[in-house]
């Protein structure tokens, strides 16, 4: 008999992962309003932005301004893909930094033009420097289940990569179903293994909703003992280097499910939908998540 956690932490990734793939630039003021509204909803941990070259991800060109002007509530992450990004994050006085590597070599090559091994080698001194500066380090493990180029990943490769990040000093592992292809059995199996082998590490599950399996996968991860989940208000997101990957699982839908299970998150669904309503006019696709549809129809 499994026991579900009493409390779950929601890590909101909408301002960064949710907006990175938008072709039309969302003005800094609109991003800041979105961030503030999510904080009002009760979000205590959030990915704000990414210190990546604007040449590759134009949407993140205002990263310095976003960090400087966001209200300082809870833990706020910025993504740093390399040493230069980490340097810029430190200059901006970021207190928590996320790095990332794909389990899949092919995904890594498409994403940052390096193999997985080369990426790990380059990140080791970056993480060492960040930890010397007392920065919280979040390691994002992409393509932990499937890769758009290589297919199914070997669980042993995923576990090995996670252990290497922990040995480097990472405080948290965000383990991602980047293309939204995992099923609940695979979710339970991987997260049970990670919780067993890394019991003292913060482990977060990150699901995309490409095949509408994300909620089911989250429930399976809950059964495996996971109590931290990346979600994106409005289901915003997608990965520019993962063909076919659609948005992340919607914050409002996940919080609603957890509410019905009696699991505390400290997040208010209606207030999340208020935040979504602020950003909706500035994104390219209509927002059609379950709870947001109820919200716009005055049924919440």
């Amino acid at each position: 008999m499994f026991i579900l956690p009493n409390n779950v932490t929601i890590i909101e990734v909408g301002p960064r992962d949710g907006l990175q793939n938008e072709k039309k630039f969302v003005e800094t003021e609109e991003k800041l309003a979105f961030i503030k509204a999510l904080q009002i909803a009760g979000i205590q941990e959030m990915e704000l932005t990414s210190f990546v070259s604007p040449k590759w991800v134009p949407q993140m060109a205002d990263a310095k301004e976003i960090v400087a002007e966001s209200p300082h509530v809870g833990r706020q992450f910025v993504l740093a893909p390399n040493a230069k990004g980490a340097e810029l994050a430190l200059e901006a006085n970021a207190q928590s930094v996320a790095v990332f590597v794909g389990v899949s070599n092919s995904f890594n090559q498409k994403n940052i033009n390096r193999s997985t091994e080369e990426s790990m080698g380059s990140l080791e001194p970056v993480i060492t420097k960040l930890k010397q500066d007392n920065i919280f380090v979040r390691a994002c493990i992409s393509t932990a289940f499937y890769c758009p180029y290589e297919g199914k990943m070997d669980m042993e490769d995923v576990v090995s990569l996670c252990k290497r990040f922990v040995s480097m000093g990472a405080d948290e592992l965000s383990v991602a179903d980047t293309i939204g292809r995992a099923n609940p059995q695979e979710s339970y199996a991987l997260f049970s293994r990670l919780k067993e082998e890394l019991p003292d590490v913060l482990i977060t599950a990150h699901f995309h909703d490409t095949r509408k399996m994300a909620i089911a996968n989250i429930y399976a991860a809950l059964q495996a003992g996971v109590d931290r989940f990346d979600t994106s208000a409005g289901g915003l997101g997608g990965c520019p280097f993962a063909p076919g990957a659609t948005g992340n699982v919607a914050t409002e839908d996940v919080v609603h499910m957890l509410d019905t299970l009696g699991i505390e998150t400290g997040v208010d669904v209606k207030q999340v939908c208020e935040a979504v309503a602020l950003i909706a006019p500035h994104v390219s696709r209509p927002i059609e998540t379950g709870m947001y549809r109820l919200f716009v129809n005055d049924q919440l």
Side-chain angles (χ1 to χ4, degrees):
M1 177 66 180
F2 59 84
I3 300 175
L4 298 179
N6 294 320
N7 298 277
V8 157
T9 299
I10 297 294
I11 299 92
E12 174 60 51
V13 301
R16 197 283 300 176
D17 196 2
L19 295 179
Q20 70 175 1
N21 216 25
E22 286 293 321
K23 292 182 172 59
K24 180 182 176 183
F25 186 76
V26 178
E27 295 298 327
T28 305
E29 293 76 13
E30 306 300 343
K31 291 174 184 169
L32 290 169
F34 184 40
I35 289 166
K36 184 176 181 180
L38 288 166
Q39 291 172 336
I40 290 171
I43 297 292
Q44 292 292 310
E45 297 196 33
M46 191 182 319
E47 278 192 0
L48 295 181
T49 187
S50 176
F51 284 92
V52 63
S53 170
K55 175 183 176 183
W56 298 112
V57 188
Q59 193 63 246
M60 301 291 110
D62 57 357
K64 186 176 179 181
E65 291 80 6
I66 292 295
V67 174
E69 297 180 35
S70 292
H72 293 282
V73 174
R75 183 178 288 141
Q76 300 175 340
F77 296 99
V78 299
L79 190 70
N82 50 35
K84 179 62 176 177
E87 180 184 334
L88 292 172
L90 291 174
E91 289 175 2
N93 293 317
Q95 299 301 305
S96 302
V97 173
V99 298
F100 65 88
V101 166
V103 179
S104 158
N105 275 301
S106 299
F107 178 82
N108 245 51
Q109 290 286 358
K110 294 281 186 180
N111 201 349
I112 54 176
N113 202 31
R114 288 179 175 173
S115 69
T116 299
E117 188 60 39
E118 288 169 337
S119 297
M120 293 299 286
S122 66
L123 280 177
E124 186 162 11
V126 172
I127 293 174
T128 298
K129 167 64 175 166
L130 290 171
K131 294 311 299 176
Q132 287 172 347
D133 291 334
N134 296 314
I135 300 298
F136 183 97
V137 175
R138 165 180 239 237
C140 301
I141 293 88
S142 303
T143 60
F145 292 91
Y146 289 87
C147 167
Y149 312 104
E150 296 182 14
K152 186 173 175 60
M153 296 288 98
D154 188 321
M155 186 189 295
E156 298 306 318
D157 292 338
V158 181
V159 173
S160 175
L161 193 63
C162 289
K163 287 182 175 179
R164 284 186 66 183
F165 267 124
V166 172
S167 71
M168 291 178 186
D171 301 288
E172 177 190 9
L173 302 170
S174 172
V175 182
D177 179 22
T178 306
I179 62 172
R181 192 173 164 184
N183 66 46
Q185 193 171 46
E186 292 166 332
S187 171
Y188 181 82
L190 177 58
F191 286 108
S192 293
R193 176 81 179 276
L194 291 174
K195 293 292 288 186
E196 178 183 352
E197 300 215 16
L198 299 168
D200 300 322
V201 179
L202 290 176
I203 294 176
T204 299
H206 181 121
F207 289 104
H208 283 238
D209 208 20
T210 310
R211 294 165 177 80
K212 302 304 175 188
M213 294 281 277
I215 289 284
N217 285 326
I218 285 173
Y219 188 70
L222 283 168
Q223 293 176 325
V226 175
D227 59 3
R228 294 173 60 82
F229 295 93
D230 288 346
T231 66
S232 178
L236 297 173
C239 179
F241 305 102
T246 59
N248 296 278
V249 66
T251 302
E252 58 272 24
D253 290 350
V254 174
V255 172
H256 169 69
M257 179 188 74
L258 295 171
D259 284 348
T260 65
L261 293 171
I263 298 173
E264 295 290 333
T265 63
V267 179
D268 184 274
V269 170
K270 190 169 183 179
Q271 290 292 336
V272 173
C273 290
E274 296 277 6
V276 175
L278 289 178
I279 203 67
H282 307 287
V283 297
S284 58
R285 63 182 174 85
I287 294 174
E288 299 177 335
T289 66
M291 297 310 293
Y292 187 66
R293 283 201 304 271
L294 292 176
F295 170 78
V296 297
N297 290 315
D298 292 322
Q299 294 177 344
L300 271 189

